[in-house]
Amino acid sequence: MIRYGVDTFRGFRGRLRYWLSARDCYDSISLMVTIAFALGITPFLVRRNARGETSLEQSWYGFLNAILRWLLLAYCYSYINLSNESLIGYFMRNHVSQISTRVHDVGGIIAAVFTFILPLLLRKHFLKSVKNMVQADEQLDRLRSPVNFNTVVGQVVLVISAVVLLDTVLLTTGLVCLAKMEVYASWQLTFIFVYELMAISITICMFCLMTRTVQRRINCLHKVLKNLAHQWDTRTLKAVTQKQRSLQCLDSFSMYTIVTKDPAEIIQESMEIHHLICEAAATANKYFTYQLLTIISIAFLIIVFDAYYVLETLLGKSKRESKFKTVEFVTFFSCQMILYLIAIISIVEGSNRAIKKSEKTGGIVHSLLNKTKSAEVKEKLQQFSMQLMHLKINFTAAGLFNIDRTLYFTISGALTTYLIILLQFTSNSPNNGYGNGSSCCETFNNMTNHTL
């Protein structure tokens, strides 16, 4: 019995290790691409041919799946518009809630187009980005600084598990709050609420995977350059001849570099790797740019209106009677607000880490430039320095704004401004209650007539 259990555990561990193993870039992103394919976000799949070679290939089912998902969302939005149904409509009906409902519906249809239709038109950019990464991996492998693809797969599994857990917990909390408030939405509205969040989450995961891929390749490139600098510091780099080929241990981390190549050749290949990484980042940004603009815009609008609903309820609860439970109401819209806050933070942090890592390359190159005594090597490093000035990694949302930590300040300022305007608009409006309500003058006349 014990031996059978041990053998079973070993067999499961072996299968798990095989499933998490990856030999190249295509294997490392296979899981994420498959999930995106199933949700209709991308038409690509990672496939292996008879010779065991992997590649990213298009599928006709991917195109059909994306179009059908968009048509389903369009039907759901059309239905709730014709039925005049919305989540906030179950709780309050005022000018702000009606405006927010229309904005969300229009934004949702636009988001569906940018999430499911536009990636079909921009699919070549994603394919080109992955191919550039594969070429960079081949050159990094020749410089003995390969990417650990098994670690990539492990991180992908960890991120997807965290996203599924977070979405499940917050969505369950929201649906339970709606049930406790006796709100039973149509399946069309529930489908939009759940599926929209799933599609946005996986799109963000794909973008963060690409930014993390860029960051990881830059880190491998830094190792090559730092190993070269370490050899110069320890004065162990010698003139290389055809007969003198060896491997030298560099430091306590057991990092190895090839000394069979001339330093000028290593720097030349490093320049080519850097160019491939920048090209991969630029093409990935072209693929995700409109999706990121849509997600950030929709997330900002939802955060603004959800914050308004929560604040307006908490501040106005003592002034008038409410038809719903405050705790459940605040919990529901707070969960929705937290989800989209996490979405913005994930996009910004993923982009910012890749940008900051790429900015460190210039310092390493200039450190090598100060140490070298060879005119040929110095010329190559100067060329590398010029390349760093003209080729920079940057992520934007359709060129309208940069996706980095400065976006936090911009969103915070705009959020505060709009919240103050909405709260003042509600307090100054004569019909600031829940439901249809009546104006102050009508209420006063009714009280006077009743007294007389």
Side-chain angles (χ1 to χ4, degrees), residues 7-109:
D7 292 341
T8 303
F9 175 75
R10 288 177 178 174
F12 171 76
R13 188 175 61 179
R15 288 193 297 271
L16 182 63
R17 187 184 295 111
Y18 175 78
W19 182 64
L20 294 177
S21 63
R23 296 183 300 176
D24 54 20
C25 182
Y26 294 116
D27 282 340
S28 64
I29 66 174
S30 176
L31 178 61
M32 184 68 74
V33 171
T34 302
I35 295 175
F37 179 85
L39 291 175
I41 299 174
T42 179
F44 293 106
L45 273 177
V46 176
R47 291 177 176 172
R48 191 182 300 275
N49 58 21
R51 295 177 294 179
E53 299 174 348
T54 54
S55 61
L56 200 63
E57 297 182 5
Q58 303 178 31
S59 171
W60 66 268
Y61 175 76
F63 290 90
L64 180 62
N65 188 29
I67 295 173
L68 290 177
R69 299 302 173 100
W70 180 80
L71 290 175
L72 180 58
L73 284 173
Y75 160 74
C76 292
Y77 273 111
S78 301
Y79 176 85
I80 64 175
N81 274 319
L82 293 175
S83 304
N84 198 21
E85 183 184 13
S86 64
L87 283 176
I88 192 61
Y90 285 103
F91 309 108
M92 63 174 71
R93 287 189 181 274
N94 53 28
H95 297 295
V96 176
S97 66
Q98 291 175 1
I99 292 173
S100 68
T101 299
R102 295 294 171 260
V103 170
H104 180 267
D105 291 345
V106 173
I109 295 174

Side-chain angles (χ1 to χ4, degrees), residues 187-429:
W187 73 265
Q188 290 89 347
L189 185 58
T190 305
F191 176 79
I192 290 174
F193 177 65
V194 175
Y195 193 78
E196 221 176 42
L197 182 61
M198 292 172 56
I200 289 175
S201 299
I202 297 302
T203 302
I204 293 174
C205 287
M206 286 189 65
F207 173 73
C208 292
L209 174 63
M210 296 305 295
T211 57
R212 180 60 179 167
T213 299
V214 171
Q215 180 185 352
R216 188 175 287 107
R217 270 64 178 181
I218 293 175
N219 190 47
C220 293
L221 177 61
H222 289 176
K223 289 180 181 179
V224 174
L225 298 176
K226 288 179 180 179
N227 291 343
L228 193 60
H230 182 81
Q231 289 184 351
W232 288 349
D233 288 339
T234 54
R235 299 177 182 273
T236 56
L237 187 63
K238 300 179 181 179
V240 179
T241 61
Q242 293 295 328
K243 297 180 181 180
Q244 189 178 10
R245 300 175 181 272
S246 63
L247 289 175
Q248 182 178 10
C249 181
L250 296 178
D251 50 22
S252 58
F253 297 100
S254 298
M255 299 300 301
Y256 292 92
T257 225
I258 297 180
V259 297
T260 57
K261 291 186 177 181
D262 186 76
E265 295 180 7
I266 296 177
I267 296 170
Q268 178 63 37
E269 290 196 29
S270 299
M271 292 171 59
E272 295 174 2
I273 293 171
H274 179 265
H275 184 269
L276 289 171
I277 295 173
C278 291
E279 283 291 321
T283 51
N285 186 60
K286 290 179 182 178
Y287 179 79
F288 287 102
T289 184
Y290 295 106
Q291 299 178 53
L292 297 178
L293 175 63
T294 306
I295 291 173
I296 294 174
S297 301
I298 297 298
F300 173 74
L301 290 175
I302 290 177
I303 291 170
V304 169
F305 287 113
D306 285 356
Y308 160 74
Y309 298 147
V310 172
L311 290 176
E312 205 270 344
T313 300
L314 294 177
L315 295 176
K317 183 66 177 176
S318 59
K319 297 181 181 180
R320 55 183 177 269
E321 242 179 69
S322 175
K323 295 182 180 180
F324 51 83
K325 300 177 182 179
T326 304
V327 174
E328 284 79 3
F329 180 86
V330 172
T331 301
F332 174 78
F333 285 100
S334 296
C335 287
Q336 190 177 20
M337 186 168 53
I338 290 171
L339 280 171
Y340 286 96
L341 276 173
I342 294 174
I344 292 178
I345 292 173
S346 301
I347 292 173
V348 172
E349 290 301 317
S351 173
N352 188 77
R353 284 196 300 266
I355 293 172
K356 293 301 180 182
K357 178 63 71 172
S358 66
E359 291 176 352
K360 295 180 180 179
T361 310
I364 300 174
V365 170
H366 284 85
S367 176
L368 290 172
L369 189 59
N370 294 330
K371 294 176 182 179
T372 184
K373 297 180 180 179
S374 171
E376 183 183 3
V377 175
K378 184 172 292 188
E379 182 182 357
K380 288 293 182 182
L381 289 171
Q382 288 175 348
Q383 293 178 4
F384 202 172
S385 178
M386 291 293 294
Q387 178 175 306
L388 292 172
M389 291 177 59
H390 293 88
L391 279 180
K392 294 183 179 180
I393 293 176
N394 189 29
F395 297 97
T396 65
L400 298 177
F401 53 85
N402 293 328
I403 302 178
D404 51 27
R405 288 183 176 175
T406 58
L407 190 61
Y408 291 145
F409 182 78
T410 305
I411 291 178
S412 300
L415 176 63
T416 305
T417 302
Y418 289 129
L419 278 178
I420 294 174
I421 293 173
L422 289 174
L423 291 173
Q424 288 181 342
F425 175 79
T426 305
S427 62
N428 293 332
S429 176

